[in-house]
Amino acid sequence: MTDALKRLSDEGVAIWLDDLSRKRITSGNLAELIDQSHVVGVTTNPAIFQKAISGGEGYEQQLTDLATRKVTVEEALRMITTADVRDAADILRPVYDRTDGQDGRVSIEVDPRLAHNTPATIAEAKQLAWLVDRPNTLIKIPATKAGLPAITEVIGKGISVNVTLIFSLERYREVMGAYLAGLEKAKAAGLDISLIHSVASFFVSRVDSEIDKRLDAVGTDEAKALKGKAALANARLAYQAYEEVFSSDRWTALERVGANKQRALWASTGVKDPAYKDTLYVDELVAPNTVNTMPEATLEATADHGQITGDTVRGTYEQARAELDAVAKLGISYDDVVQLLEDEGVEKFAVSWNDLLKSTEAELARLAPTEA
């Protein structure tokens, strides 16, 4: 069943699971996926925790204890989520040790409501790193304009970062620049930069969802022929940018003193249009030194019928540029699409976080001991 997953790993694509829950940890399922399905990392986000905690098993005892202590809902939520991330990090620790820190990673996101507040994002990232207290944690910071200086500052303090919600090629270059600036800052502070790792989460399927909708509105045969192409083209050109930045003189100077490349991570790889093959964003985004973080359904689909035929990214740049240009010629603004997706991404995570706060508050009230 896992031949395709093994081939994917052999091609240099790290397979991470885009999901986490306490039941997945305590049942042994996460350990089983690591052992049998080549999973070497885990990503979380507010929507994932909202689903896990609101409808999941295994949280009642901790919620009861927190209710008894009368903690705030924000504190309760952070105690619950960091406990899950800490336990997952412990399960993945052998992978972290075996890969010299590259994989075996678990990501946890700063409060999405802070996405446009640089100082608060920095403070929250430091707090999360301290709370989880595991070397194989990645702190997720969104790639908003306010997030960029936060990325530099947090990397500069020696904290490893997963930069999330990247949609545009321009912003991706800014993210890589922020990472390099952070490494330079850490080096100047005398830190061992070989211990700092980062991934840049470049979102895929949402690009097709938005652009396909606009192509349908255009309605011509030319427009219909471009459906399902923009997301892959965008991601492939992102990898071209990665190759350029991580072969530059600025990078080489850091690499000489032990720096690690910031890997491109393909996020949002579950196919949203049923007309497309469910492994589209796995099969067609195979390139060395990348990460593909998959929902479990995509992981299972890849194991069952994924077609891993080698590198499907390098050598495609000219075609990818032509496809994005063709979309633009139909009057669809790339800049408008990627900004909309960033704004929506931040808003969706904030909504999930607020929903989680409300449901957690209700649970704390339900489980609070009655006053004598």
Side-chain angles (χ1 to χ4, degrees):
M1 277 287 285
T2 58
D3 281 353
L5 295 174
K6 182 179 187 304
R7 285 196 297 275
L8 191 61
S9 297
D10 290 345
E11 290 290 341
V13 180
I15 299 167
W16 291 7
L17 178 70
D18 193 27
D19 190 56
L20 187 64
S21 68
R22 192 155 297 179
K23 185 178 181 183
R24 195 180 286 284
I25 292 166
T26 58
S27 68
N29 174 262
L30 177 57
E32 184 179 289
L33 290 173
I34 295 165
D35 185 51
Q36 298 180 12
S37 299
H38 303 275
V39 169
V40 293
V42 167
T43 50
T44 68
N45 62 46
I48 284 169
F49 277 129
Q50 199 272 336
K51 179 183 173 188
I53 297 168
S54 299
E57 302 171 20
Y59 295 100
E60 187 149 315
Q61 183 59 60
Q62 188 178 13
L63 280 163
T64 300
D65 292 343
L66 291 165
T68 303
R69 288 175 50 217
K70 297 182 180 179
V71 304
T72 65
V73 64
E74 285 86 358
E75 183 184 352
L77 202 46
R78 275 311 183 202
M79 295 302 289
I80 292 165
T81 57
T82 54
D84 280 358
V85 168
R86 191 181 308 114
D87 288 345
D90 288 343
I91 293 168
L92 279 154
R93 183 59 189 262
V95 177
Y96 170 83
D97 292 337
R98 186 176 74 241
T99 61
D100 198 25
Q102 177 156 273
D103 288 308
R105 296 274 176 177
V106 186
S107 299
I108 184 169
E109 189 150 348
V110 297
D111 186 332
R113 298 170 300 176
L114 307 177
H116 303 296
N117 185 329
T118 302
T121 293
I122 294 166
E124 169 100 341
K126 289 160 59 181
Q127 172 78 351
L128 285 174
W130 177 82
L131 272 173
V132 177
D133 193 27
R134 294 294 186 271
N136 50 330
T137 310
L138 290 172
I139 307 302
K140 290 180 85 171
I141 297 175
T144 57
K145 277 292 185 186
L148 294 171
I151 292 158
T152 294
E153 188 67 22
V154 171
I155 291 287
K157 293 185 181 300
I159 297 170
S160 295
V161 171
N162 175 345
V163 184
T164 188
L165 290 175
I166 307 170
F167 296 94
S168 88
L169 295 168
E170 180 185 0
R171 184 57 54 83
Y172 179 42
R173 287 185 180 274
E174 291 175 332
V175 164
M176 290 187 283
Y179 174 61
L180 297 184
L183 289 177
E184 289 160 351
K185 199 164 186 164
K187 178 175 174 284
L191 300 180
D192 181 356
I193 64 173
S194 72
L195 300 177
I196 303 171
H197 287 259
S198 183
V199 294
S201 296
F202 200 88
F203 278 55
V204 185
S205 66
R206 295 185 195 183
V207 173
D208 270 343
S209 296
E210 182 60 32
I211 289 182
D212 283 0
K213 184 169 67 177
R214 298 184 186 208
L215 290 168
D216 280 336
V218 173
T220 63
D221 289 343
E222 183 185 7
K224 289 173 184 173
L226 287 167
K227 287 184 67 177
K229 294 184 176 178
L232 290 174
N234 199 38
R236 287 163 170 169
L237 291 174
Y239 192 80
Q240 181 184 35
Y242 159 85
E243 288 191 304
E244 289 172 4
V245 170
F246 290 102
S247 60
S248 66
D249 292 342
R250 184 183 183 190
W251 164 249
T252 302
L254 288 163
E255 190 174 35
R256 282 197 204 103
V257 290
N260 301 290
K261 290 179 180 177
Q262 182 187 54
R263 286 183 293 172
L265 177 150
W266 312 126
S268 182
T269 55
V271 170
K272 293 181 170 55
D273 187 333
Y276 302 152
K277 186 183 177 188
D278 54 3
T279 60
L280 176 67
Y281 303 125
V282 179
D283 298 349
E284 299 299 330
L285 288 175
V286 178
N289 207 35
T290 58
V291 179
N292 195 310
T293 184
M294 309 178 200
E296 190 168 22
T298 305
L299 181 75
E300 290 175 349
T302 303
D304 183 61
H305 52 263
Q307 294 179 312
I308 309 305
T309 57
D311 190 331
T312 50
V313 173
R314 291 181 296 183
T316 67
Y317 305 145
E318 191 175 326
Q319 178 68 24
R321 174 49 61 195
E323 286 166 350
L324 287 189
D325 286 347
V327 169
K329 283 175 186 171
L330 293 173
I332 296 169
S333 168
Y334 176 85
D335 290 342
D336 180 64
V337 167
V338 294
Q339 188 59 57
L340 174 70
L341 291 173
E342 179 186 304
D343 293 343
E344 284 184 349
V346 170
E347 177 61 24
K348 283 175 182 175
F349 281 169
V351 167
S352 292
W353 196 250
N354 283 324
D355 288 347
L356 184 50
L357 284 168
K358 287 175 190 170
S359 59
T360 303
E361 188 172 38
E363 281 297 281
L364 290 172
R366 182 178 72 83
L367 296 167
T370 54
E371 297 293 337

